[in-house]
Amino acid sequence: MPDAVMLFAAGFGTRMGPLTADTPKPLIKVAGKPLLDHALSLTEGIPTRVVNAHYLADQIETHLAGRGVHVSTEQPAILDTGGGLRHALPILGPRPVYTLNTDAIWQGPNPLSLLRDVWDPTRMDALLLCVPLAHAVGRKTGGDFALQPDGRLTRKGDLVYTGAQIIKTDGLADITEPAFSLNAVWNTQAAANRLFGLTYPGHWCDVGHPEGIALAEEMLHV
């Protein structure tokens, strides 16, 4: 089972507009608590926790100081999800890892626990947690994937990727660009029939845009 988790917190948060002019998106509060802390609460008990940082990284570093969470700061350039994960591998280690986006709020069971219970490294190179569009609160675009009867994922369907997954990191070394999306890794895994999905049974809210804050608080009944 994975014993490390990567939380993505390096982005510029441009969809948030003025809210991120002086504050990194992961420190924007929902229901009185920063988004980053909502995400970290899902990772309790995982031995190695890493948060990446780039935009206003000093605020992320200060917020996490003394909390037993590693910060992988990306300078001078931001590295995107794939490059950021690869940059943090010296801390995360060589085994499969959880990854988790920090701009989402969950209502339901712990997403990482669900992934852990289904993960099968003999068949899977990645297991992505997805939610049906009807349960993706605040989602402004369509779905990302379709789930096949055998559990494999294919592109273009009515399932939204939630930002939570378990992934093997071996394939990161095959990509030459310093900055790249995890989509590049997933495409290779899908071509080998080793990209799998799991449907989240609760609700999930996209807090990547300002309207998402109120929608998340309404979903949480606060």
Side-chain angles (χ1 to χ4, degrees):
M1 291 299 150
D3 57 8
V5 58
M6 174 79 172
L7 295 94
F8 291 114
F12 295 98
T14 51
R15 288 192 297 156
M16 280 291 189
L19 293 178
T20 49
D22 301 304
T23 303
K25 181 171 60 172
L27 296 187
I28 289 175
K29 291 184 178 180
V30 171
K33 185 164 75 171
L35 281 165
L36 179 54
D37 289 356
H38 282 281
L40 281 168
S41 70
L42 301 172
T43 69
E44 294 295 335
I46 298 175
T48 301
R49 299 187 291 171
V50 181
V51 174
N52 72 338
H54 173 76
Y55 178 63
L56 301 176
D58 57 325
Q59 293 188 36
I60 300 287
E61 293 164 355
T62 299
H63 183 73
L64 294 173
R67 296 175 61 178
V69 178
H70 302 273
V71 180
S72 174
T73 302
E74 300 170 11
Q75 296 293 350
I78 195 169
L79 298 174
D80 207 338
T81 50
L85 181 58
R86 184 170 62 190
H87 183 68
L89 286 182
I91 309 171
L92 292 164
R95 299 181 59 192
V97 299
Y98 299 102
T99 79
L100 187 64
N101 290 354
T102 57
D103 59 354
I105 295 292
W106 303 76
Q107 184 193 50
N110 187 307
L112 303 185
S113 298
L114 296 178
L115 289 167
R116 177 197 63 209
D117 292 344
V118 175
W119 174 246
D120 179 2
T122 65
R123 295 189 303 136
M124 304 171 180
D125 285 343
L127 176 63
L128 280 57
L129 191 60
C130 300
V131 65
L133 265 173
H135 291 172
V137 179
R139 175 73 168 191
K140 292 189 171 184
T141 55
D144 302 306
F145 293 102
L147 190 63
Q148 303 308 308
D150 62 1
R152 288 180 174 86
L153 285 180
T154 53
R155 296 283 185 176
K156 298 182 180 178
D158 62 354
L159 291 178
V160 175
Y161 173 55
T162 61
Q165 67 172 331
I166 296 174
I167 186 168
K168 293 180 181 178
T169 59
D170 320 41
L172 297 170
D174 298 331
I175 298 175
T176 56
E177 297 87 352
F180 61 95
S181 167
L182 281 172
N183 277 293
V185 182
W186 294 337
N187 288 342
T188 300
Q189 294 170 339
N193 294 316
R194 295 185 62 87
L195 181 69
F196 282 76
L198 179 67
T199 301
Y200 186 65
H203 286 77
W204 167 93
C205 184
D206 175 6
V207 196
H209 51 86
E211 299 90 339
I213 298 171
L215 290 172
E217 291 175 342
E218 181 181 356
M219 186 183 79
L220 294 172
H221 309 296
V222 295

PDB file of all heavy atoms in Angstrom, residues 16 30 35 105 137-138 140 205-219:
ATOM      1  N   MET A  16      -9.353  32.027  -9.900  1.00  0.00           N
ATOM      2  CA  MET A  16      -9.868  32.676  -8.699  1.00  0.00           C
ATOM      3  C   MET A  16      -9.855  34.202  -8.810  1.00  0.00           C
ATOM      4  O   MET A  16     -10.384  34.898  -7.941  1.00  0.00           O
ATOM      5  CB  MET A  16      -9.054  32.248  -7.472  1.00  0.00           C
ATOM      6  CG  MET A  16      -9.427  30.897  -6.923  1.00  0.00           C
ATOM      7  SD  MET A  16     -11.071  30.935  -6.172  1.00  0.00           S
ATOM      8  CE  MET A  16     -11.114  29.324  -5.375  1.00  0.00           C
ATOM      9  N   VAL A  30     -12.423  27.897   3.142  1.00  0.00           N
ATOM     10  CA  VAL A  30     -13.767  27.377   2.929  1.00  0.00           C
ATOM     11  C   VAL A  30     -14.256  26.870   4.280  1.00  0.00           C
ATOM     12  O   VAL A  30     -13.562  26.098   4.946  1.00  0.00           O
ATOM     13  CB  VAL A  30     -13.776  26.235   1.897  1.00  0.00           C
ATOM     14  CG1 VAL A  30     -15.140  25.553   1.854  1.00  0.00           C
ATOM     15  CG2 VAL A  30     -13.409  26.750   0.510  1.00  0.00           C
ATOM     16  N   LEU A  35      -8.208  25.672   2.180  1.00  0.00           N
ATOM     17  CA  LEU A  35      -8.366  24.497   1.325  1.00  0.00           C
ATOM     18  C   LEU A  35      -7.279  23.459   1.587  1.00  0.00           C
ATOM     19  O   LEU A  35      -7.546  22.257   1.622  1.00  0.00           O
ATOM     20  CB  LEU A  35      -8.332  24.917  -0.147  1.00  0.00           C
ATOM     21  CG  LEU A  35      -9.607  25.524  -0.722  1.00  0.00           C
ATOM     22  CD1 LEU A  35      -9.305  26.224  -2.042  1.00  0.00           C
ATOM     23  CD2 LEU A  35     -10.662  24.438  -0.925  1.00  0.00           C
ATOM     24  N   ILE A 105     -13.365  20.106  -2.332  1.00  0.00           N
ATOM     25  CA  ILE A 105     -13.961  19.742  -1.042  1.00  0.00           C
ATOM     26  C   ILE A 105     -14.800  18.484  -1.254  1.00  0.00           C
ATOM     27  O   ILE A 105     -15.490  18.350  -2.267  1.00  0.00           O
ATOM     28  CB  ILE A 105     -14.837  20.891  -0.494  1.00  0.00           C
ATOM     29  CG1 ILE A 105     -13.973  22.122  -0.177  1.00  0.00           C
ATOM     30  CG2 ILE A 105     -15.611  20.448   0.745  1.00  0.00           C
ATOM     31  CD1 ILE A 105     -13.016  21.943   0.987  1.00  0.00           C
ATOM     32  N   VAL A 137     -20.118  19.052  -7.936  1.00  0.00           N
ATOM     33  CA  VAL A 137     -20.642  20.390  -7.651  1.00  0.00           C
ATOM     34  C   VAL A 137     -19.653  21.446  -8.149  1.00  0.00           C
ATOM     35  O   VAL A 137     -18.445  21.339  -7.921  1.00  0.00           O
ATOM     36  CB  VAL A 137     -20.877  20.540  -6.133  1.00  0.00           C
ATOM     37  CG1 VAL A 137     -21.400  21.933  -5.810  1.00  0.00           C
ATOM     38  CG2 VAL A 137     -21.830  19.466  -5.627  1.00  0.00           C
ATOM     39  N   GLY A 138     -20.161  22.440  -8.842  1.00  0.00           N
ATOM     40  CA  GLY A 138     -19.315  23.533  -9.308  1.00  0.00           C
ATOM     41  C   GLY A 138     -18.539  23.241 -10.570  1.00  0.00           C
ATOM     42  O   GLY A 138     -17.786  24.100 -11.035  1.00  0.00           O
ATOM     43  N   LYS A 140     -17.724  23.231 -14.251  1.00  0.00           N
ATOM     44  CA  LYS A 140     -18.204  24.102 -15.322  1.00  0.00           C
ATOM     45  C   LYS A 140     -18.042  23.495 -16.710  1.00  0.00           C
ATOM     46  O   LYS A 140     -18.517  24.054 -17.687  1.00  0.00           O
ATOM     47  CB  LYS A 140     -17.480  25.447 -15.253  1.00  0.00           C
ATOM     48  CG  LYS A 140     -17.845  26.268 -14.023  1.00  0.00           C
ATOM     49  CD  LYS A 140     -17.280  27.662 -14.110  1.00  0.00           C
ATOM     50  CE  LYS A 140     -17.804  28.544 -13.007  1.00  0.00           C
ATOM     51  NZ  LYS A 140     -17.346  29.947 -13.109  1.00  0.00           N
ATOM     52  N   CYS A 205     -16.749  18.926  -4.723  1.00  0.00           N
ATOM     53  CA  CYS A 205     -16.946  20.294  -5.208  1.00  0.00           C
ATOM     54  C   CYS A 205     -15.642  20.869  -5.731  1.00  0.00           C
ATOM     55  O   CYS A 205     -14.606  20.827  -5.038  1.00  0.00           O
ATOM     56  CB  CYS A 205     -17.494  21.190  -4.091  1.00  0.00           C
ATOM     57  SG  CYS A 205     -17.870  22.875  -4.644  1.00  0.00           S
ATOM     58  N   ASP A 206     -15.676  21.426  -6.914  1.00  0.00           N
ATOM     59  CA  ASP A 206     -14.548  22.120  -7.533  1.00  0.00           C
ATOM     60  C   ASP A 206     -14.470  23.530  -6.946  1.00  0.00           C
ATOM     61  O   ASP A 206     -15.357  24.348  -7.157  1.00  0.00           O
ATOM     62  CB  ASP A 206     -14.762  22.167  -9.046  1.00  0.00           C
ATOM     63  CG  ASP A 206     -13.693  22.981  -9.784  1.00  0.00           C
ATOM     64  OD1 ASP A 206     -12.725  23.422  -9.143  1.00  0.00           O
ATOM     65  OD2 ASP A 206     -13.842  23.159 -11.005  1.00  0.00           O
ATOM     66  N   VAL A 207     -13.402  23.797  -6.198  1.00  0.00           N
ATOM     67  CA  VAL A 207     -13.217  25.126  -5.622  1.00  0.00           C
ATOM     68  C   VAL A 207     -12.059  25.832  -6.333  1.00  0.00           C
ATOM     69  O   VAL A 207     -11.264  26.541  -5.728  1.00  0.00           O
ATOM     70  CB  VAL A 207     -12.990  25.054  -4.098  1.00  0.00           C
ATOM     71  CG1 VAL A 207     -13.201  26.428  -3.453  1.00  0.00           C
ATOM     72  CG2 VAL A 207     -13.943  24.064  -3.442  1.00  0.00           C
ATOM     73  N   GLY A 208     -11.982  25.636  -7.629  1.00  0.00           N
ATOM     74  CA  GLY A 208     -10.964  26.304  -8.424  1.00  0.00           C
ATOM     75  C   GLY A 208     -11.396  27.665  -8.927  1.00  0.00           C
ATOM     76  O   GLY A 208     -10.611  28.383  -9.528  1.00  0.00           O
ATOM     77  N   HIS A 209     -12.650  28.040  -8.670  1.00  0.00           N
ATOM     78  CA  HIS A 209     -13.189  29.329  -9.101  1.00  0.00           C
ATOM     79  C   HIS A 209     -13.965  29.931  -7.928  1.00  0.00           C
ATOM     80  O   HIS A 209     -14.374  29.202  -7.013  1.00  0.00           O
ATOM     81  CB  HIS A 209     -14.098  29.151 -10.328  1.00  0.00           C
ATOM     82  CG  HIS A 209     -15.154  28.101 -10.155  1.00  0.00           C
ATOM     83  ND1 HIS A 209     -16.368  28.372  -9.567  1.00  0.00           N
ATOM     84  CD2 HIS A 209     -15.159  26.778 -10.460  1.00  0.00           C
ATOM     85  CE1 HIS A 209     -17.097  27.250  -9.543  1.00  0.00           C
ATOM     86  NE2 HIS A 209     -16.382  26.281 -10.070  1.00  0.00           N
ATOM     87  N   PRO A 210     -14.178  31.249  -7.918  1.00  0.00           N
ATOM     88  CA  PRO A 210     -14.777  31.892  -6.730  1.00  0.00           C
ATOM     89  C   PRO A 210     -16.133  31.331  -6.334  1.00  0.00           C
ATOM     90  O   PRO A 210     -16.420  31.194  -5.143  1.00  0.00           O
ATOM     91  CB  PRO A 210     -14.878  33.371  -7.156  1.00  0.00           C
ATOM     92  CG  PRO A 210     -13.819  33.553  -8.190  1.00  0.00           C
ATOM     93  CD  PRO A 210     -13.758  32.242  -8.927  1.00  0.00           C
ATOM     94  N   GLU A 211     -16.979  31.003  -7.303  1.00  0.00           N
ATOM     95  CA  GLU A 211     -18.305  30.495  -6.979  1.00  0.00           C
ATOM     96  C   GLU A 211     -18.236  29.181  -6.208  1.00  0.00           C
ATOM     97  O   GLU A 211     -19.160  28.821  -5.478  1.00  0.00           O
ATOM     98  CB  GLU A 211     -19.115  30.286  -8.261  1.00  0.00           C
ATOM     99  CG  GLU A 211     -19.333  31.555  -9.074  1.00  0.00           C
ATOM    100  CD  GLU A 211     -18.228  31.799 -10.108  1.00  0.00           C
ATOM    101  OE1 GLU A 211     -17.112  31.245  -9.950  1.00  0.00           O
ATOM    102  OE2 GLU A 211     -18.481  32.548 -11.058  1.00  0.00           O
ATOM    103  N   GLY A 212     -17.119  28.471  -6.367  1.00  0.00           N
ATOM    104  CA  GLY A 212     -16.987  27.189  -5.702  1.00  0.00           C
ATOM    105  C   GLY A 212     -16.946  27.286  -4.194  1.00  0.00           C
ATOM    106  O   GLY A 212     -17.273  26.322  -3.499  1.00  0.00           O
ATOM    107  N   ILE A 213     -16.525  28.434  -3.666  1.00  0.00           N
ATOM    108  CA  ILE A 213     -16.441  28.582  -2.209  1.00  0.00           C
ATOM    109  C   ILE A 213     -17.828  28.452  -1.587  1.00  0.00           C
ATOM    110  O   ILE A 213     -18.048  27.647  -0.666  1.00  0.00           O
ATOM    111  CB  ILE A 213     -15.791  29.930  -1.850  1.00  0.00           C
ATOM    112  CG1 ILE A 213     -14.360  29.995  -2.399  1.00  0.00           C
ATOM    113  CG2 ILE A 213     -15.800  30.138  -0.338  1.00  0.00           C
ATOM    114  CD1 ILE A 213     -13.718  31.373  -2.267  1.00  0.00           C
ATOM    115  N   ALA A 214     -18.778  29.238  -2.075  1.00  0.00           N
ATOM    116  CA  ALA A 214     -20.140  29.182  -1.535  1.00  0.00           C
ATOM    117  C   ALA A 214     -20.786  27.826  -1.808  1.00  0.00           C
ATOM    118  O   ALA A 214     -21.518  27.283  -0.964  1.00  0.00           O
ATOM    119  CB  ALA A 214     -20.995  30.315  -2.123  1.00  0.00           C
ATOM    120  N   LEU A 215     -20.525  27.263  -2.992  1.00  0.00           N
ATOM    121  CA  LEU A 215     -21.106  25.965  -3.315  1.00  0.00           C
ATOM    122  C   LEU A 215     -20.573  24.876  -2.373  1.00  0.00           C
ATOM    123  O   LEU A 215     -21.330  24.011  -1.920  1.00  0.00           O
ATOM    124  CB  LEU A 215     -20.775  25.596  -4.764  1.00  0.00           C
ATOM    125  CG  LEU A 215     -21.479  26.417  -5.845  1.00  0.00           C
ATOM    126  CD1 LEU A 215     -20.907  26.090  -7.220  1.00  0.00           C
ATOM    127  CD2 LEU A 215     -22.995  26.136  -5.826  1.00  0.00           C
ATOM    128  N   ALA A 216     -19.283  24.952  -2.055  1.00  0.00           N
ATOM    129  CA  ALA A 216     -18.705  23.967  -1.142  1.00  0.00           C
ATOM    130  C   ALA A 216     -19.281  24.123   0.251  1.00  0.00           C
ATOM    131  O   ALA A 216     -19.604  23.128   0.932  1.00  0.00           O
ATOM    132  CB  ALA A 216     -17.183  24.113  -1.105  1.00  0.00           C
ATOM    133  N   GLU A 217     -19.439  25.355   0.708  1.00  0.00           N
ATOM    134  CA  GLU A 217     -19.999  25.571   2.047  1.00  0.00           C
ATOM    135  C   GLU A 217     -21.451  25.126   2.110  1.00  0.00           C
ATOM    136  O   GLU A 217     -21.902  24.579   3.118  1.00  0.00           O
ATOM    137  CB  GLU A 217     -19.850  27.052   2.425  1.00  0.00           C
ATOM    138  CG  GLU A 217     -18.378  27.426   2.649  1.00  0.00           C
ATOM    139  CD  GLU A 217     -18.154  28.888   2.914  1.00  0.00           C
ATOM    140  OE1 GLU A 217     -19.054  29.708   2.610  1.00  0.00           O
ATOM    141  OE2 GLU A 217     -17.084  29.233   3.446  1.00  0.00           O
ATOM    142  N   GLU A 218     -22.183  25.342   1.025  1.00  0.00           N
ATOM    143  CA  GLU A 218     -23.569  24.844   0.970  1.00  0.00           C
ATOM    144  C   GLU A 218     -23.596  23.323   0.995  1.00  0.00           C
ATOM    145  O   GLU A 218     -24.408  22.707   1.680  1.00  0.00           O
ATOM    146  CB  GLU A 218     -24.253  25.372  -0.294  1.00  0.00           C
ATOM    147  CG  GLU A 218     -25.696  24.935  -0.432  1.00  0.00           C
ATOM    148  CD  GLU A 218     -26.326  25.461  -1.724  1.00  0.00           C
ATOM    149  OE1 GLU A 218     -25.668  26.211  -2.455  1.00  0.00           O
ATOM    150  OE2 GLU A 218     -27.490  25.087  -1.994  1.00  0.00           O
ATOM    151  N   MET A 219     -22.672  22.693   0.259  1.00  0.00           N
ATOM    152  CA  MET A 219     -22.596  21.232   0.243  1.00  0.00           C
ATOM    153  C   MET A 219     -22.277  20.685   1.634  1.00  0.00           C
ATOM    154  O   MET A 219     -22.778  19.624   2.027  1.00  0.00           O
ATOM    155  CB  MET A 219     -21.522  20.792  -0.755  1.00  0.00           C
ATOM    156  CG  MET A 219     -21.421  19.305  -0.993  1.00  0.00           C
ATOM    157  SD  MET A 219     -20.058  18.876  -2.131  1.00  0.00           S
ATOM    158  CE  MET A 219     -18.644  18.996  -1.008  1.00  0.00           C
TER     159      MET A 219
END
